[in-house]
Amino acid sequence: MKRLSPTTIGTARPGVLRYRYDRAAVTPGIVHLGIGAFHRAHQAVVVDTLLERELSWGIVGASLRRPDTKEALAPQDGLYSVLTKDGDDRSLRVIGSVLEVLDAAREKAALLARMADPATRIVSLTVTEKGYCYNAATGGLDTRHPEIAADLTHPRDPSTAAGLVVEALRRRRAAGIAPFTVLSCDNLPHNGQVAARVFAEFAEAIDPGLGRWVRDNVAFPGTMIDRIVPATTDADRAEVAGILGLEDAWPVVAEPFLQWVIEDNFVGARPRLELGGAEFVGDVAPYERMKLRMLNGTHSMMAYLGYLSGHEFIAQVIAAPEFRRLVANAFADEIAPTLGMPKAQTDAYGQKLLERYSNTALRHRTYQIAMDGSQKLPQRLLGTIADRLAAGAPFDRLALGVAGWMVYARGVDEKGQPIAVQDPLQPDFANVDPSDVVGGLLALERIFSPELAQNTTFRTTVERQYRLLREVGAAEAVRRIG
Ligand code: CS2
């Protein structure tokens, strides 16, 4: 079978959708840091539609950690497929918006030159929560982070997102070129503000004048991004080849749903991303909060409690009646009341989420969502719990989710088998005193603020749920609490 590329795409099977613009006429306007599956299934698809009308917004993607995306996409000249799956429905679209992929480690000079180029007007990011290297307790840059410390020592030879962005901005300022807009597309609350603070603090640490210039001149719009994108498997690659009639080494798989809400605050003229389905708003915070608390909050609950109950995929978790009840009740009784939105709106949103979780074609692993819990818990569950505490309202289901994370983080499943916990704080989890797991984990200030950790109602509720999980197992605990 031939490999997907601009020269073979004409032989793709009928029914395959593909970019409809002259790709040779597209010029780069966006540098994206962190070109993983999520970016290629989300922002790059929106930009692909935009390019039908505005040709100057092609994407140069950079991978910060692994060279595999570059190696797979180079022979395809950046082309790849997005396969959307919904039950038995399939739709395949070949995306042309990624013009080039750079491996940041080996091609740093080329990447920084591209970021400093006046044609680049946006630097967007999907570097995951931990990629911002911020201290959750203070909200500022974590200067003790080893990679940040290294970049602060050698700021002209950076490897972190902060280091790369600031070095590129330094070069632009020195050359009298306007800054780019920094567009954070990660699942953090106030992602634009987090990026603004962390990058400005980084700049300030190397040169106070540059720090001021970053604060005063760079725009950091907040965004809410949403699409469920499970990791691609060999079975997905085989399915894509069957539909496409060509071999694609690096396709992505996603649900049909896609939402991208962006704060309208850019340096200079912005791309009309609304042509590709994005929505521009004045304040993204309510959207972001609803998505992080409703979707990501219950995703994490299902990941830990579902994994411990022996479920491999989210669709299996939500097919279990006790889990469906737990999630639906958590939406209605514990999360939605903290959002300050009309009940009809949060009910409809929750209903749609239950449908999305039930998509059996997606095979979204509980293990995948369980990763990096220390970076996810605060914005997904703990903020909601803090609001419930302040209102004197119960939060037993959310506390069960936190307790589920605690059991999981200790790294042993209900059959006594080891769990390969992936988390930057994993060494801290392993050091916790086994006779006081709840107390030991609550003492981790990078996750739990002292105020929350010392709240007696919080502590006793989590302890109760933790004991229940240990005594009866996750499935039975969900049945009792649901
Ligand atoms: C998931 C998210 O892996 C995870 O932690 O909760 O990636 C989720 O699928 C997306 O935020 C959906 O937009």
Side-chain angles (χ1 to χ4, degrees):
M1 190 177 270
K2 287 199 197 118
R3 183 88 176 255
L4 170 65
S5 79
T7 46
T8 59
I9 190 166
T11 66
R13 294 236 163 89
V16 167
L17 305 170
R18 52 165 287 189
Y19 55 95
R20 289 184 296 181
Y21 43 86
D22 173 9
R23 216 169 158 247
V26 176
T27 53
I30 300 174
V31 171
H32 183 80
L33 303 182
I35 183 152
F38 187 76
H39 170 70
R40 292 189 298 120
H42 192 282
Q43 301 100 62
V45 174
V46 174
V47 171
D48 193 61
T49 308
L50 164 74
L51 291 176
E52 291 171 14
R53 307 278 287 281
E54 296 182 8
L55 289 167
S56 68
W57 294 104
I59 299 170
V60 173
S63 38
L64 301 192
R65 306 223 159 249
R66 283 189 306 267
D68 48 4
T69 299
K70 182 193 170 74
E71 282 158 13
L73 288 187
Q76 302 180 183
D77 194 32
L79 297 186
Y80 65 91
S81 326
V82 176
L83 176 62
T84 51
K85 298 186 178 186
D86 189 8
D88 292 335
D89 292 345
R90 299 287 182 274
S91 167
L92 191 140
R93 171 169 165 188
V94 175
I95 303 297
S97 55
V98 177
L99 303 180
E100 191 185 5
V101 179
L102 297 171
D103 170 14
R106 279 183 298 172
E107 297 169 296
K108 200 175 292 177
L111 174 59
L112 284 168
R114 179 59 76 194
M115 292 168 79
D117 190 302
T120 299
R121 284 147 293 150
I122 293 178
V123 170
S124 53
L125 301 103
T126 47
V127 292
T128 80
E129 296 86 348
K130 59 178 181 270
Y132 290 81
C133 305
Y134 79 117
N135 180 336
T138 64
L141 178 70
D142 182 2
T143 46
R144 285 182 317 176
H145 190 289
E147 290 171 38
I148 291 291
D151 279 6
L152 285 173
T153 315
H154 305 287
R156 305 271 166 107
D157 183 24
S159 58
T160 61
L164 289 163
V165 166
V166 170
E167 170 57 10
L169 288 169
R170 184 195 66 78
R171 292 188 188 186
R172 293 174 82 107
R173 178 177 179 238
I177 301 167
F180 42 68
T181 296
V182 175
L183 194 58
S184 165
C185 298
D186 282 293
N187 274 320
L188 293 166
H190 312 297
N191 52 12
Q193 286 171 34
V194 169
R197 175 147 177 213
V198 165
F199 297 168
E201 285 183 7
F202 186 97
E204 198 142 60
I206 47 177
D207 170 2
L210 180 63
R212 242 185 335 270
W213 186 79
V214 169
R215 274 184 222 284
D216 293 347
N217 296 283
V218 182
F220 295 90
T223 63
M224 182 271 250
I225 60 273
D226 190 7
R227 188 171 221 188
I228 294 175
V229 183
T232 308
T233 63
D234 288 340
D236 295 325
R237 270 183 273 276
E239 186 173 2
V240 165
I243 299 173
L244 183 62
L246 292 166
E247 187 204 335
D248 180 350
W250 222 233
V252 289
V253 170
E255 61 176 338
F257 183 91
L258 187 156
Q259 194 177 16
W260 191 7
V261 185
I262 312 171
E263 210 177 301
D264 202 345
N265 162 33
F266 282 66
V267 177
R270 64 158 176 80
R272 286 184 293 158
L273 293 166
E274 61 272 34
L275 297 171
E279 299 158 64
F280 284 93
V281 299
D283 181 13
V284 80
Y287 297 89
E288 189 185 74
R289 199 177 164 87
M290 174 167 76
K291 191 256 173 176
L292 283 169
R293 291 187 172 191
M294 298 271 284
L295 192 164
N296 297 111
T298 57
H299 243 184
S300 289
M301 288 169 70
M302 289 190 287
Y304 300 116
L305 298 166
Y307 183 97
L308 295 170
S309 308
H311 295 304
E312 193 177 357
F313 302 111
I314 287 295
Q316 294 169 336
V317 178
I318 206 65
E322 67 276 15
F323 271 98
R324 200 179 176 84
R325 201 169 55 239
L326 179 83
V327 170
N329 288 341
F331 283 153
D333 296 346
E334 297 186 10
I335 307 176
T338 69
L339 298 173
M341 288 178 155
K343 186 168 162 9
Q345 191 180 347
T346 51
D347 280 354
Y349 190 75
Q351 196 50 44
K352 178 75 187 166
L353 289 180
L354 291 174
E355 280 167 31
R356 292 171 64 195
Y357 296 163
S358 308
N359 185 344
T360 47
L362 272 188
R363 301 174 77 77
H364 196 193
R365 288 203 145 72
T366 47
Y367 180 76
Q368 183 183 346
I369 301 168
M371 268 185 249
D372 288 349
S374 67
Q375 315 289 302
K376 296 174 173 174
L377 238 51
Q379 60 271 23
R380 295 182 176 207
L381 294 173
L382 304 182
T384 322
I385 290 177
D387 285 356
R388 298 288 290 168
L389 279 167
F395 54 92
D396 289 339
R397 301 178 185 95
L398 301 174
L400 187 66
V402 174
W405 166 76
M406 289 179 162
V407 174
Y408 183 95
R410 290 289 294 153
V412 183
D413 74 11
E414 291 182 1
K415 295 200 182 97
Q417 296 302 312
I419 307 172
V421 176
Q422 293 196 48
D423 193 297
L425 296 194
Q426 192 276 334
D428 296 308
F429 306 160
N431 277 335
V432 162
D433 176 0
S435 68
D436 183 18
V437 169
V438 174
L441 291 171
L442 289 183
L444 296 176
E445 288 190 14
R446 294 191 160 218
I447 308 176
F448 301 95
S449 68
E451 197 192 349
L452 187 60
Q454 282 152 23
N455 183 295
T456 315
T457 311
F458 177 61
R459 187 176 277 261
T460 52
T461 312
V462 172
E463 272 167 357
R464 191 171 65 241
Q465 304 304 50
Y466 183 82
R467 268 198 311 276
L468 180 67
L469 282 174
R470 303 305 320 215
E471 279 162 25
V472 302
E476 178 58 24
V478 169
R479 206 164 287 127
R480 292 193 193 173
I481 302 297

